[in-house]
Amino acid sequence: AKDYELRQYETAKWVSTVIRGETQKEAMRQGFWKLFHYIQGKNEKEMKIDMTVPVTCLIKSGCSDFKISFFVPFEHQDSPPQPTNSDVFIEERKAAAIFVRSFGGFASPEKYAEEAEALARILRNRGQPFHEDFFYTAGYDSPFKLFNRHNEVWYFKK
């Protein structure tokens, strides 16, 4: 569709952390640094791992916990090094069909919420069943990239 796409994602491992009781913006900042330290070698193998995109954040309705995640690079999918920080963990996300809405610019929590609401409205209007109680934000760019930025919101298809 012109205002969203439906993607099929395969089962994959992500390195994640949950930040509780902070604003989304502060949770993203704290979560990013915990995960960044992991890829910089704060893991059992003291291995540096390439930064990947997207950086995702799980947003659940009425919940102040935010799960921030980095995709584990393909070459480490089979056996990613275990984190040494107890707040950081490896998770396997099952294969899923995901509705995606893309947008540009610098994405604020408010902009992500606005785009997620727009996507939810479109999906409801088209009779597309999806899990409405949570969505993911996905950021693809370094904070230093100023132009042609790419952001997404994801709802999982039912």
Side-chain angles (χ1 to χ4, degrees):
K2 70 180 192 312
D3 35 18
Y4 72 90
E5 58 185 295
L6 177 58
R7 293 185 194 150
Q8 180 64 42
Y9 280 95
E10 297 309 312
T11 297
K13 292 190 178 87
W14 295 70
V15 60
S16 302
T17 188
V18 174
I19 306 294
R20 293 179 172 81
E22 297 288 353
T23 63
Q24 183 181 341
K25 188 172 184 170
E26 179 59 18
M28 281 296 292
R29 190 188 70 74
Q30 286 183 24
F32 177 89
W33 285 109
K34 284 184 181 190
L35 299 174
F36 188 76
H37 291 309
Y38 167 81
I39 66 170
Q40 286 298 300
K42 198 169 179 188
N43 57 63
E44 284 183 348
K45 295 180 183 168
E46 297 184 353
M47 178 189 290
K48 281 196 176 215
I49 299 168
D50 290 338
M51 176 79 202
T52 59
V53 292
V55 175
T56 65
C57 180
L58 172 62
I59 313 283
K60 293 186 208 163
S61 305
C63 181
S64 62
D65 293 357
F66 299 96
K67 182 169 64 176
I68 294 85
S69 307
F70 289 0
F71 179 77
V72 172
F74 292 109
E75 63 268 24
H76 299 293
Q77 280 287 318
D78 288 340
S79 68
Q82 287 305 304
T84 51
N85 179 339
S86 60
D87 291 344
V88 177
F89 56 95
I90 303 294
E91 66 169 325
E92 184 171 88
R93 293 189 196 164
K94 299 293 177 210
I98 300 176
F99 293 108
V100 178
R101 181 173 170 89
S102 301
F103 61 99
F106 279 90
S108 63
E110 297 74 23
K111 180 67 174 162
Y112 277 125
E114 190 181 295
E115 294 292 336
E117 187 44 51
L119 177 55
R121 196 168 45 247
I122 291 163
L123 295 174
R124 281 187 213 107
N125 289 343
R126 300 208 177 135
Q128 291 282 8
F130 65 102
H131 293 277
E132 298 193 37
D133 52 334
F134 70 92
F135 67 92
Y136 280 90
T137 67
Y140 286 81
D141 301 303
S142 137
F144 308 109
K145 182 174 180 182
L146 300 180
F147 303 103
N148 300 317
R149 295 179 63 81
H150 184 82
N151 314 287
E152 297 173 349
V153 289
W154 299 352
Y155 274 112
F156 281 55
K157 183 177 175 146
K158 272 190 174 166

